[in-house]
Amino acid sequence: MHPWTIMRSPGPLIATAIHAGHQVRPSLLPHLALPADERLREEDPHTNEFLFAGDTRIDVAVSRFEVDLNRPRESAVYTGPDCAWGLDVWREPLSASEHSASLALYDRFYADLGGVIEERVAAHGQAVVLDLHSYNHRRDGPTAPPADPAANPVLNVGTKAADRERWGGVIDQFLHDVCRGSVAGSPLDARENVKFGGGHMSRWIASRFGADVLVLCLEFKKVFMDEWTGALHRDRLDELRRAVGRATTKLRATINGT
């Protein structure tokens, strides 16, 4: 199985799901201390179902527990509980060769990502990257109360790497449009930089492409699934998909000047 799939199509929007994957290369499996269900809890399952919103789509099959593509290179391979939510990921420290193999994958991904963005900027003069993620809000256990909604929006839009002078109006319009959706009978609560401001990938893109590229880091609270069992709430996921679809359709028209 390929580590990621790139589906190219004309248009200024690039969608990535870099934490959606669960795949771990066979040579690493004997070294993993975490069972599959605990790995799944910290991954972002189903976020690749939002890739439809992009013109070009990058679907990553590799688990963040093999290599985390949203962290700086020096911390992209988890080495202990201090960098993995207190979890013991490995039975013993990884060998230098295994560590290097994961970093080689990291380098390959960023080379591919850079190439894709260069193509879109060359074609349109600018581009928007939809960086798709999800986050847990029931960390105290499946029967404990969920995290306070005031500090945990259904959709956190991270924009701290964005050039607001150029893109502020686009960001505000996207938030306005996506909030017109609803989830489970309530208006969709989408806010900017409440829970997350964006990870390493957004900062890397900003450092390389500057104001020519806007990254919208879309972090969906896991209201669309049971984060402890992995069970999907299809109706809620579909509601979120519809809201994002409407907002990105307008976003695409704005970027295209139509």
Side-chain angles (χ1 to χ4, degrees), residues 15-225:
T16 68
I18 62 173
H19 283 165
H22 190 61
Q23 173 183 312
V24 175
R25 67 178 182 269
S27 64
L28 283 181
L29 290 174
H31 305 291
L32 273 171
L34 277 180
D37 61 336
E38 290 191 42
R39 284 191 282 120
L40 187 68
R41 193 172 303 132
E42 300 300 343
E43 294 161 345
D44 297 350
H46 307 294
T47 51
N48 55 353
E49 293 204 35
F50 293 93
L51 287 172
F52 76 93
D55 302 309
T56 293
R57 306 164 188 183
I58 304 177
D59 190 358
V60 175
V62 174
S63 171
R64 68 191 305 173
F65 287 96
E66 179 170 337
V67 61
D68 193 331
L69 300 172
N70 207 30
R71 294 194 181 185
R73 189 179 190 276
E74 62 271 17
S75 56
V77 179
Y78 303 154
T79 55
D82 57 322
C83 58
W85 311 278
L87 300 171
D88 289 310
V89 179
W90 309 109
R91 300 182 188 279
E92 66 282 316
L94 290 181
S95 66
S97 61
E98 291 288 8
H99 194 104
S100 295
S102 293
L103 290 182
L105 203 62
Y106 183 95
D107 294 339
R108 180 179 158 196
F109 173 80
Y110 273 92
D112 285 354
L113 176 65
V116 166
I117 297 174
E118 285 174 1
E119 292 170 4
R120 296 300 90 213
V121 171
H124 298 277
Q126 58 189 348
V128 176
V129 176
L130 306 172
D131 179 22
L132 302 162
H133 297 273
S134 63
Y135 73 95
N136 294 323
H137 68 121
R138 307 192 73 101
R139 286 199 175 275
D140 292 336
T143 61
D148 182 6
N152 295 267
V154 170
L155 174 58
N156 181 100
V157 182
T159 62
K160 286 193 174 179
D163 184 324
R164 263 207 158 266
E165 184 175 348
R166 176 165 178 177
W167 294 102
V170 173
I171 294 167
D172 293 343
Q173 186 65 53
F174 178 83
L175 282 163
H176 172 78
D177 291 337
V178 81
C179 282
R180 296 174 64 188
S182 63
V183 180
S186 298
L188 200 165
D189 175 22
R191 286 175 277 153
E192 187 178 358
N193 299 327
V194 175
K195 188 76 174 177
F196 307 98
H200 171 75
M201 190 178 83
S202 64
R203 295 188 293 273
W204 181 88
I205 293 171
S207 69
R208 180 160 174 177
F209 297 96
D212 287 342
V213 180
L214 168 65
V215 183
L216 297 175
C217 303
L218 306 185
E219 294 264 4
F220 298 92
K221 184 161 67 174
K222 289 183 179 176
V223 296
F224 59 86
M225 64 179 292

